C-alpha cells in the first residue's frame, strides 16, 4: 500500500530532528564561545560560513539515525510480501541484526558511509540557506512567521536538490540483494549503464514537493520552541 515503510520514519523523525538541532546549537555555542574569546564581543552573530560549519557538524549524528531508519523503510517498501503493518518493519530490523550483526555488510548500518556523504554537506547548506534568507529578509524590513516558513521551505528544497543523485544511489545500495553490487562504484555504474543519467533524478519532483512544506513546518516549530525557551 501507499503507507508501506512509513512506521520507521514516523517513530524516529522527531528524535532525528531533536538530534539535528541539538547538535547544531551545540556546535553554534562552541563557535560563539571561540568568537567571544577572540573578539570580546558577547553578542557577535555567527558568520554564514560558521553557520554552514555548524550545519556540517550536525549532519554527522543525524546520519547515524537516518541511515538505519531509511534502510528499514526502503526494505519494507520493496518487499512484495510486506502488507504495510508496523510490526513488519521491526521484523526487518531484528532480522538484519540476527543475520549480520550491527556492523555486518548487510546489517542495520549498511549505507552509513554514503548517508554521511549525503547528509553532512546537505545540512551545511540547509542551515546556510535558512540563515541567509532570514538575515536578508530582516535587513529589508521583513520578519515574523512568514519569513520563517519561506526560509525553511527554501532551505529544505536547496538541501535536497543539492544531493538528490546521492540519495538515489544510497537507496539502490541499501535495497540491493546480497551480492548484487561489490561496491558503490559498481552500483553507480550499473544505474548509469542500464538506465542512463536520468535515473539519478527519478522522483525528484515529488521530493521537492514534499521538502518545501515539511521543512517550512520544521523551522517554524524550531523557532517557536526556541523563542518559548528563551522567553522563560
Amino acid at each position: 500500500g501507499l503507507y508501506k515503510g512509513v512506521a520507521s520514519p514516523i517513530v524516529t523523525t522527531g528524535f532525528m530532528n531533536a538530534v539535528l538541532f541539538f547538535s547544531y546549537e551545540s556546535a553554534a555555542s562552541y563557535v560563539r564561545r571561540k568568537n567571544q574569546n577572540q573578539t570580546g564581543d558577547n553578542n557577535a552573530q555567527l558568520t554564514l560560513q560558521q553557520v554552514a560549519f555548524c550545519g556540517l557538524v550536525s549532519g554527522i549524528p543525524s546520519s547515524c539515525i537516518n541511515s538505519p531508519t531509511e534502510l528499514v523503510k526502503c526494505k519494507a517498501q520493496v518487499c512484495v510480501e510486506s502488507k504495510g503493518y508496523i510490526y513488519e518493519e521491526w521484523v526487518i530490523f531484528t532480522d538484519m541484526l540476527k543475520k549480520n550483526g550491527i556492523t555486518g555488510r548487510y546489517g542495520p548500518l549498511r549505507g552509513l558511509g554514503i548517508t554521511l556523504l549525503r547528509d553532512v554537506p546537505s545540512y551545511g547548506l540547509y542551515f546556510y540557506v535558512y540563515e541567509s534568507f532570514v538575515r536578508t529578509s530582516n535587513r529589508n524590513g521583513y520578519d515574523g512567521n512568514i519569513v520563517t516558513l519561506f526560509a525553511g521551505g527554501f532551505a529544505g528544497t536547496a538541501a535536497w536538490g543539492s544531493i538528490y543523485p546521492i540519495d538515489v544511489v544510497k537507496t539502490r545500495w541499501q535495497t540491493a540483494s546480497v551480492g548484487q553490487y561489490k561496491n558503490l562504484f559498481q552500483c553507480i555504474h550499473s544505474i548509469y549503464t542500464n538506465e542512463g543519467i536520468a535515473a539519478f533524478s527519478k522522483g525528484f519532483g515529488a521530493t521537492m514537493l514534499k521538502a518545501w512544506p515539511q521543512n517550512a513546518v520544521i523551522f517554524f516549530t524550531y523557532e517557536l520552541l526556541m523563542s518559548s525557551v528563551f522567553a522563560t
Side-chain angles (χ1 to χ4, degrees), residues 79 115 174 225:
C79 179
T115 305
Q174 287 187 318
L225 290 173

Side-chain angles (χ1 to χ4, degrees), residues 156-175:
T157 52
W160 270 107
S162 67
I163 49 78
Y164 191 78
I166 299 176
D167 185 66
V168 171
V169 175
K170 181 195 75 70
T171 300
R172 298 291 186 93
W173 175 254
Q174 287 187 318
T175 57

Side-chain angles (χ1 to χ4, degrees), residues 149 152-153 157 207-219:
L149 289 168
T157 52
T207 299
M208 292 299 102
L209 285 174
K210 180 188 77 169
W212 180 280
Q214 181 183 48
N215 290 283
V217 171
I218 286 172
F219 269 107

Side-chain angles (χ1 to χ4, degrees), residues 40-53:
D41 185 356
N42 293 331
N43 299 310
Q45 198 175 43
L46 297 185
T47 66
L48 290 176
Q49 289 74 20
Q50 290 172 333
V51 168
F53 168 76

